[in-house]
Amino acid sequence: MRGSSNHLGYSTMSEEIQYLDEELTDLCAEIRKGVDELTSSKKLTADKRQDKISHLNNRISRAKQVFHSFKVEQRELSKDEAREYEQKGSAHNQVISKLVNDLNWAKQAGDRDELMAGGKPAGAFNPDENSANQIVEHAKGVQDESMQSINRSKKLIDKSEKLGVETASKLKEQTEQMKRIYDSVDGIESNLKRADKIMRAFMKRMATDKLVLCFILLMVIGIVFIIAWKATHPGGKNDGKEDLNSASQKV
């Protein structure tokens, strides 16, 4: 009966991890397709590209959660099944790591392209073939594009500064939290030492109290013995006096 229940349990675990394996495969394929589109497409606007990056980051987070569940279910499998899914888990982990790196690379490449987009001229321009007004208009266009490029650069710098401030703030909070944990651990250790000293003093006091109780008990036993002896020999003292009187009379 136990063997059948174990077999049923392994079967249920096998079905669950198989479902997770398929979900991981689908997620990785979806993320790979999105990263390829992000890398190859040059027509995406900055907002659409940011939305697509955000969506892919969410899918990667979901893939990591599923992979964590996959590893948990793997521990409940039999040895043979665990060996098979251990290889699949390693492959999934490598794919997820590569997707994360590829997405970061695509994001950085897109930022560079966006930064440099304003510096490219709209087309070949020959001053000799254009009038003065056209030259001025073209110069204004180039200047406007340069200003737009500068503004985009400022926005990227502002984002980087905000990210740096947030990161520093989080690091500070984590440092303070770790300090509080260390202080709490020191306090617990101090309380444990104090409790140990109190227990030792209590044990010493108990030992001293036991000695006092033993002496009192011996005294009580002695008193009881004397009382009992007196009770069983009430005339012992008078008999001794009578013997002394009879001996003096004979003399």
Side-chain angles (χ1 to χ4, degrees), residues 102-157:
D102 291 347
L103 180 59
N104 290 333
W105 181 87
K107 182 178 181 300
Q108 293 173 1
D111 291 340
R112 287 195 300 269
D113 292 342
E114 182 181 354
L115 181 62
M116 298 301 296
K120 295 180 179 179
F125 181 79
N126 188 355
D128 296 334
E129 298 177 358
N130 294 273
S131 64
N133 290 332
Q134 290 176 335
I135 294 173
V136 172
E137 291 297 327
H138 178 73
K140 288 182 178 180
V142 173
Q143 185 177 6
D144 291 339
E145 291 177 356
S146 300
M147 290 300 297
Q148 292 176 5
S149 177
I150 292 172
N151 290 332
R152 285 193 292 269
S153 301
K154 288 181 178 179
K155 289 180 181 180
L156 291 175
I157 292 172

Side-chain angles (χ1 to χ4, degrees), residues 27-213:
L27 282 169
C28 290
E30 177 187 351
I31 296 168
R32 169 52 61 194
K33 182 179 178 182
V35 172
D36 292 341
E37 291 176 355
L38 187 65
T39 305
S40 59
S41 178
K42 302 297 183 182
K43 298 180 180 181
L44 289 176
T45 63
D47 293 337
K48 289 183 178 180
R49 188 171 64 85
Q50 190 62 36
D51 291 341
K52 195 170 189 62
I53 291 173
S54 178
H55 174 71
L56 291 174
N57 280 326
N58 291 334
R59 301 310 290 165
I60 287 176
S61 297
R62 173 58 185 168
K64 290 180 179 179
Q65 293 175 357
V66 175
F67 180 73
H68 177 72
S69 300
F70 181 92
K71 297 296 290 184
V72 172
E73 294 294 335
Q74 182 182 334
R75 300 191 190 103
E76 304 297 331
L77 296 175
S78 62
K79 292 183 178 179
D80 295 336
E81 290 179 328
R83 190 179 301 110
E84 175 185 356
Y85 282 101
E86 183 176 0
Q87 296 176 354
K88 292 184 177 181
S90 178
H92 285 311
N93 187 32
Q94 292 178 0
V95 171
I96 293 172
S97 299
K98 189 174 188 308
L99 288 173
V100 171
N101 293 332
D102 291 347
L103 180 59
N104 290 333
W105 181 87
K107 182 178 181 300
Q108 293 173 1
D111 291 340
R112 287 195 300 269
D113 292 342
E114 182 181 354
L115 181 62
M116 298 301 296
K120 295 180 179 179
F125 181 79
N126 188 355
D128 296 334
E129 298 177 358
N130 294 273
S131 64
N133 290 332
Q134 290 176 335
I135 294 173
V136 172
E137 291 297 327
H138 178 73
K140 288 182 178 180
V142 173
Q143 185 177 6
D144 291 339
E145 291 177 356
S146 300
M147 290 300 297
Q148 292 176 5
S149 177
I150 292 172
N151 290 332
R152 285 193 292 269
S153 301
K154 288 181 178 179
K155 289 180 181 180
L156 291 175
I157 292 172
D158 291 339
K159 289 181 180 179
S160 300
E161 288 180 352
K162 290 180 180 179
L163 181 61
V165 171
E166 292 176 358
T167 302
S169 177
K170 289 181 180 180
L171 287 174
K172 184 178 180 181
E173 291 177 0
Q174 292 177 356
T175 302
E176 292 177 352
Q177 185 178 5
M178 291 297 294
K179 185 178 179 181
R180 289 194 296 270
I181 292 172
Y182 287 141
D183 292 340
S184 177
V185 171
D186 291 338
I188 292 172
E189 185 177 0
S190 177
N191 291 334
L192 288 175
K193 290 181 179 179
R194 182 179 178 185
D196 182 64
K197 290 180 180 179
I198 292 173
M199 287 297 296
R200 290 178 183 274
F202 179 75
M203 294 300 294
K204 290 180 180 179
R205 183 175 178 182
M206 287 293 295
T208 304
D209 292 344
K210 286 181 179 179
L211 289 175
V212 173
L213 289 174

